[in-house]
Amino acid sequence: MELIVITDLDNTLLSKYKYDFTPALPAIEELKRRGVPIIFCTSKTLGETVSFQEKIGIKDPFIVENGGGIYIPRVFYENFKGEKLDSEFFEIDLGVPAQILYDFLYSFSKKYEVPIKTFLDFQPEELAKETGLPLELAILAREREFDLPFILLKGSLGEKKKLQRMARKEKYLIQEGGRFLHISGRHTKADAIREMFDFMGDKFNKAKKIGLGDSLNDLEMLSFVDIPIVVSGTGNPYLNKLKKALPHAKIYMNEGPIAWNQAIFDLLESI
Ligand SMILES: [Mg+2]
């Protein structure tokens, strides 16, 4: 295994609002042909992530809910480890259960009278409208295990800071995703990547690691890889911060999957 691709989904492999990956299919097919694992590393849930894996036809290991859970599909696990697995996935959990996060947010909301709305408070139809997700994916998106996306209704910057302070005390993490704030245990996508690579051992660690992301919650993951690629459609509010923190990153200014496709082909050509 010479290469491993680690990629964010929202606004990176998937286009904004339409969640379309088809512009990246030529690069995906080329990676599959070369046997390069494509590790999804996302804030999405297990169900959503598996549905995208099925659509592009891969069964590679993946990370869900901003590093809360690591899943290794049975086929990949058995080939890689040479051992039988009795369940559909080998699973490693790093996260705090979503119910505990939900209760924490509502205790803050009550104490400071800041109305909050989490993914769990949206009806599936409403969430589909808000996010542009098709209804069947909106249903899967509500099945949170370790990371709860939310918005502060009428929330000011001051209230966001107050919440961040209170969360820090409890050892929770608040991160900005593309559209929502996210609360989780104190793990990042990079913690889960490190954990996964430790578990997978030498074969994984010796490969050249390519990372693709668009947002601040990708920063540590992009710092971990050998070749960081920032995918940024126009109007990405995090672009300057990412550029500053990752001076050696390659920047692609096209929309997610278009940039993804270009970046992978450029890279394969240069190696
Ligand atoms: Mg993203």
Side-chain angles (χ1 to χ4, degrees):
M1 198 177 294
E2 286 169 28
L3 288 179
I4 295 180
V5 169
I6 304 166
T7 183
D8 171 46
L9 292 181
D10 285 324
N11 300 348
T12 298
L13 181 59
L14 306 176
S15 66
K16 208 171 187 170
Y17 305 119
K18 288 194 173 156
Y19 303 96
D20 181 22
F21 56 83
T22 51
L25 274 177
I28 290 169
E29 289 307 326
E30 182 58 24
L31 291 172
K32 280 161 68 178
R33 201 183 61 77
R34 294 177 183 225
V36 176
I38 305 172
I39 313 277
F40 290 169
C41 185
T42 176
S43 60
K44 290 190 176 303
T45 62
L46 172 65
E48 290 175 282
T49 310
V50 169
S51 111
F52 281 107
Q53 278 202 321
E54 284 169 355
K55 282 179 193 144
I56 73 166
I58 58 167
K59 283 189 182 288
D60 296 328
F62 57 93
I63 284 160
V64 301
E65 298 193 45
N66 278 325
I70 300 164
Y71 289 89
I72 304 166
R74 178 165 48 209
V75 180
F76 193 97
Y77 181 92
E78 290 185 347
N79 283 337
F80 199 84
K81 290 271 180 187
E83 295 165 19
K84 278 263 163 232
L85 188 68
D86 291 333
S87 49
E88 202 181 337
F89 299 102
F90 184 86
E91 183 181 347
I92 304 170
D93 294 345
L94 302 182
V96 173
Q99 185 61 49
I100 294 177
L101 302 170
Y102 186 86
D103 293 345
F104 166 79
L105 281 181
Y106 278 86
S107 68
F108 169 85
S109 170
K110 225 173 148 189
K111 189 168 174 191
Y112 295 105
E113 294 179 343
V114 182
I116 279 179
K117 195 166 180 181
T118 76
F119 258 34
L120 304 181
D121 305 310
F122 284 94
Q123 289 307 307
E125 293 76 13
E126 200 189 351
L127 190 62
K129 221 171 143 191
E130 179 78 20
T131 57
L133 284 169
L135 185 59
E136 69 272 19
L137 286 181
I139 292 167
L140 297 174
R142 287 173 79 256
E143 295 172 357
R144 314 301 303 182
E145 291 180 286
F146 311 110
D147 169 289
L148 203 51
F150 67 98
I151 40 180
L152 292 176
L153 300 167
K154 295 182 242 159
S156 69
L157 192 62
E159 275 149 349
K160 195 166 93 183
K161 290 223 163 106
K162 220 183 277 171
L163 175 61
Q164 273 165 332
R165 266 200 304 277
M166 196 165 144
R168 244 195 321 267
K169 260 188 220 153
E170 298 289 329
K171 302 216 162 48
Y172 301 145
L173 196 66
I174 303 227
Q175 299 188 81
E176 307 208 16
R179 253 163 289 180
F180 292 86
L181 292 167
H182 289 256
I183 183 165
S184 66
R186 230 147 101 178
H187 49 76
T188 64
K189 289 181 172 183
D191 293 327
I193 286 286
R194 269 184 226 110
E195 191 76 27
M196 178 193 279
F197 276 68
D198 274 356
F199 180 77
M200 300 306 284
D202 268 4
K203 248 198 206 165
F204 256 41
N205 284 293
K206 283 183 182 154
K208 195 173 267 269
K209 297 175 274 295
I210 298 140
L212 300 104
D214 73 296
S215 190
L216 284 187
N217 64 355
D218 300 313
L219 179 56
E220 285 192 53
M221 178 269 277
L222 292 171
S223 308
F224 170 78
V225 299
D226 303 303
I227 304 176
I229 297 168
V230 173
V231 158
S232 173
T234 45
N236 180 345
Y238 311 115
L239 181 60
N240 282 336
K241 276 191 185 168
L242 288 169
K243 267 186 178 169
K244 217 181 226 174
L246 302 160
H248 57 304
K250 295 176 199 301
I251 315 276
Y252 281 80
M253 293 301 292
N254 281 324
E255 203 200 4
I258 299 169
W260 204 98
N261 194 60
Q262 188 64 49
I264 293 295
F265 276 114
D266 285 352
L267 195 102
L268 292 176
E269 241 168 62
S270 73
I271 293 176

